[in-house]
Amino acid sequence: MSEYTAIKVLWKRELLRFVRAKSRIAGSLGMPLFFLLFLGTGLNSAISGTGGNYMEFIAPGIIGMVLMFSSVANGLIVIMDRQFGFLKEVLVAPVSRLSIVAGKIFGGATTSIAQAAIIMLIMPFLGVSFALSGMITAFAFMVLISIAFVGLGIAIASKMEDMHGFQLVMNFLVMPLFFLSGALFPLTNLPSWLKVLTMIDPLTYGIDGMRGALTGSSAMPLWMDFGILALFCAAMIALGAWLFTKKSTGN
Amino acid sequence: MEYAIETEKLTKKYGELTAVDGLDLRIKRGEIFGLLGPNGAGKTTLISMLCTMLEPTSGKARVNGFDVETQASEVRKSIGIVFQDPSLDDELTAWENLDIHGELYGMRGGAKQKAIENALQIVELYDKKDELVKHYSGGMKRRLEIARGLMHAPAVLFLDEPTIGLDPQTRRHIWDSVRKMNREKGVTVILTTHYIDEADVLCGRVGIVDHGKIVACDAPSKLKTKGESLEDVFLRLTGSDIREEKASNQTMRLRMRAWNR
Ligand SMILES: Nc1ncnc2c1ncn2[C@@H]1O[C@H](COP(=O)(O)OP(=O)(O)O)[C@@H](O)[C@H]1O
Ligand SMILES: [Mg+2]
């Protein structure tokens, strides 16, 4: 039995579920669109005095938001699979645990990049447009962000018994990660306590990297953003794989 | 390696409760073996350990010659299972569920297609193959799970209360398929059931389990003495008290929900 086939079929399953859940996709795109539309437009005029374009500034932040939230939400699928029993069908199959995690990570990353792509297609209609060359670099960051946060989602799901616990994590971990990431405000001239927090937040590097790629201005050099994000990504894959494997073998 | 299943003082404890208690069991290749026992006797716990989904507290078990703890992936390559509790992906169609199963078990192309069609026909769900499983009734879901379990011919097939809630016609169909697999492909079958007639007609041997122990183990005809029915034997050995099923609330609720749909 080739592990490659197993990864592919689990990846396909995530895509199938994704295209079935149209209302869920619409729901998950609502919040970022509101942020972009209302916050973007509202603060655009407030900040226009400084000569910047706020809508363009937060656009990469919103892409990062979509990527992180939809990626971490893959943990919810793991919990649901456990509760509704489908996980047993997968775990008892002649497939290694690592391939199962890999299938989930690739599937989850693909669907969250698809959601980010939908937002990016809407952006030009709100007056935000990016050069194609920048998008290719940004795509590399999108891949890293989504893989890293699917890994985190799987890790959390392996520690949680039910969906309520998971919801709590979304509110108390993922929300702060979003607000501290510099998605909505520039990282320059922050009070030092806030500066430290933003530097700890891995999403900061993803959003700064995308912003550099798409708008040409980033707080840190792109190679540094990419390097730190890549390290975080590797750590999250390892953590997700380790906790998932541990959970599914220890009774 | 003449045994498909071999356990040695196999034990599982949940805290204070001993669900499987020092069980010694040998099942030969090619047998259809029935596990009978009241609710909470430990049948599902035993099967979970044999299929590598649950670690034994102590003792040993070998399935198809492989140790369930140290050779788990070899064991998984040797088995097929129909779980007692639901295990389908509700958001997918019946066909997609079986397709995933086929690929996970290394089936490809035309062979996979045929296996899916054949399995769906056995449980008479072929006409509903493109419907989402969440729109299925409880009985239809159960039939689909059995179809999935019968798709590939493993060395050892576990069926945990497979026919619960199904009508007599469907049960007969399933018995026939199980027998056919056993006869033609040499699949060893381990089956738990509440229907004593099922064990009686299907199984070469039955083990009666109570409080995690095997209290009797033989051919149905040999267990029956003095014109008893197998049900009499069962009641004589396990008493006539009603056992409460102490499944977790979670499992119970999910099971109820699954059946009521
Ligand atoms: N996850 C669990 N945690 C605690 N107790 C359990 C668990 N699973 C089963 N049990 C208990 O173990 C015993 C055997 O259960 P089970 O193997 O499901 O019996 P059967 O399948 O014969 O009905 C029961 O008393 C049950 O309540
Ligand atoms: Mg049971």
Side-chain angles (χ1 to χ4, degrees):
Chain A
M1 165 67 214
S2 95
E3 298 292 332
Y4 165 76
T5 322
I7 297 173
K8 200 180 72 184
V9 69
L10 293 172
W11 174 78
K12 196 170 90 184
R13 176 205 174 222
E14 301 293 336
L15 298 199
L16 275 172
R17 285 178 68 103
F18 177 71
V19 294
R20 294 282 149 72
K22 295 207 178 55
S23 61
R24 212 180 306 149
I25 300 169
S28 71
L29 292 182
M31 177 129 92
L33 268 184
F34 292 149
F35 264 91
L36 197 59
L37 195 58
F38 302 141
L39 201 65
T41 319
L43 288 179
N44 219 6
S45 38
I47 293 177
S48 60
T50 63
N53 181 340
Y54 187 65
M55 185 83 115
E56 193 176 87
F57 176 81
I58 63 166
I62 299 305
I63 297 171
M65 174 189 191
V66 175
L67 287 172
M68 179 174 63
F69 279 81
S70 57
S71 293
V72 175
N74 276 281
L76 214 54
I77 302 184
V78 176
I79 291 179
M80 276 160 60
D81 282 351
R82 192 156 65 224
Q83 287 195 342
F84 293 103
F86 182 73
L87 193 59
K88 278 184 304 201
E89 150 80 358
V90 178
L91 289 176
V92 85
V95 171
S96 81
R97 301 302 185 237
L98 237 42
S99 300
I100 297 173
V101 174
K104 290 208 161 289
I105 287 182
F106 291 138
T110 309
T111 56
S112 72
I113 289 173
Q115 291 178 65
I118 296 173
I119 286 282
M120 289 171 83
L121 285 176
I122 298 173
M123 282 180 174
F125 297 98
L126 302 173
V128 186
S129 55
F130 304 115
L132 194 64
S133 59
M135 287 213 197
I136 294 166
T137 316
F139 183 74
F141 280 95
M142 290 168 68
V143 171
L144 283 185
I145 296 172
S146 53
I147 290 181
F149 284 101
V150 178
L152 179 65
I154 293 174
I156 296 167
S158 305
K159 283 278 161 195
M160 293 282 151
E161 287 309 320
D162 59 20
M163 303 189 207
H164 305 296
F166 196 82
Q167 209 54 54
L168 217 65
V169 172
M170 286 296 259
N171 292 340
F172 285 96
L173 180 72
V174 177
M175 275 307 235
L177 283 182
F178 168 61
F179 284 117
L180 289 171
S181 67
L184 303 177
F185 51 77
L187 298 172
T188 44
N189 302 328
L190 294 177
S192 54
W193 66 270
L194 189 56
K195 180 87 180 171
V196 169
L197 288 178
T198 57
M199 289 294 122
I200 294 172
D201 182 349
L203 185 63
T204 301
Y205 304 93
I207 286 177
D208 192 57
M210 285 196 294
R211 186 171 286 142
L214 294 173
T215 69
S217 74
S218 63
M220 285 156 287
L222 283 198
W223 63 264
M224 193 175 145
D225 285 328
F226 195 85
I228 293 175
L229 193 61
L231 283 179
F232 174 67
C233 186
M236 289 303 105
I237 293 175
L239 185 70
W242 180 55
L243 291 178
F244 181 86
T245 309
K246 205 170 98 180
K247 171 90 183 177
S248 46
T249 39
N251 88 85
Chain B
M1 244 189 28
E2 68 180 305
Y3 295 110
I5 305 279
E6 238 183 314
T7 75
E8 209 179 294
K9 299 198 178 66
L10 188 64
T11 303
K12 180 72 198 182
K13 292 187 176 160
Y14 293 112
E16 293 287 286
L17 177 98
T18 306
V20 171
D21 193 358
L23 209 77
D24 292 310
L25 180 65
R26 284 196 172 140
I27 299 173
K28 286 210 186 78
R29 288 182 186 283
E31 278 196 73
I32 300 185
F33 187 91
L35 282 167
L36 284 177
N39 282 333
K43 306 178 293 294
T44 298
T45 305
L46 171 62
I47 288 186
S48 305
M49 288 190 284
L50 294 179
C51 74
T52 76
M53 301 306 278
L54 191 64
E55 281 182 350
T57 309
S58 63
K60 289 220 160 300
R62 296 175 86 77
V63 174
N64 196 28
F66 301 111
D67 187 288
V68 294
E69 284 187 280
T70 58
Q71 296 170 298
S73 74
E74 299 303 320
V75 171
R76 286 200 285 269
K77 282 180 190 141
S78 311
I79 62 171
I81 180 165
V82 173
F83 292 104
Q84 176 180 311
D85 296 329
S87 61
L88 295 166
D89 186 339
D90 274 15
E91 307 266 338
L92 301 183
T93 65
W95 185 277
E96 287 162 350
N97 266 283
L98 298 197
D99 187 63
I100 288 177
H101 182 86
E103 296 210 11
L104 286 176
Y105 285 82
M107 298 178 178
R108 295 284 158 77
K112 180 182 69 183
Q113 190 115 348
K114 273 199 80 170
I116 300 176
E117 281 169 13
N118 186 31
L120 285 171
Q121 266 147 6
I122 290 171
V123 296
E124 294 179 357
L125 284 174
Y126 189 77
D127 296 339
K128 301 239 160 55
K129 65 181 174 13
D130 295 322
E131 246 176 70
L132 290 183
V133 172
K134 66 178 169 197
H135 299 144
Y136 270 28
S137 71
M140 286 160 74
K141 285 184 191 175
R142 194 60 183 155
R143 275 148 63 197
L144 184 60
E145 283 172 333
I146 295 170
R148 190 175 66 181
L150 297 177
M151 255 176 79
H152 76 293
V156 183
L157 176 64
F158 297 99
L159 303 169
D160 198 354
E161 297 187 29
T163 56
I164 197 161
L166 298 183
D167 59 42
Q169 288 85 345
T170 315
R171 285 173 61 205
R172 293 295 151 97
H173 274 292
I174 291 163
W175 295 356
D176 289 343
S177 315
V178 169
R179 268 205 210 94
K180 197 169 146 205
M181 254 180 128
N182 171 258
R183 199 176 342 106
E184 292 176 2
K185 310 242 171 81
V187 174
T188 308
V189 180
I190 290 86
L191 163 112
T192 80
T193 181
H194 274 151
Y195 299 110
I196 299 195
D197 59 327
E198 189 161 280
D200 207 355
V201 298
L202 210 51
C203 301
R205 284 198 305 151
V206 297
I208 296 181
V209 191
D210 200 13
H211 302 298
K213 289 196 164 94
I214 296 218
V215 293
C217 183
D218 213 331
S221 59
K222 296 209 180 118
L223 287 173
K224 296 181 234 179
T225 49
K226 299 167 262 147
E228 279 177 316
S229 69
L230 191 56
E231 183 151 346
D232 294 332
V233 178
F234 180 81
L235 292 173
R236 170 161 59 78
L237 290 168
T238 62
S240 48
D241 304 342
I242 294 173
R243 310 296 170 86
E244 291 300 335
E245 189 159 22
K246 283 198 225 95
S248 67
N249 282 337
Q250 174 85 335
T251 337
M252 278 311 270
R253 228 181 312 122
L254 286 172
R255 207 183 302 168
M256 295 304 283
R257 207 187 297 159
W259 296 131
N260 290 337
R261 246 186 226 161

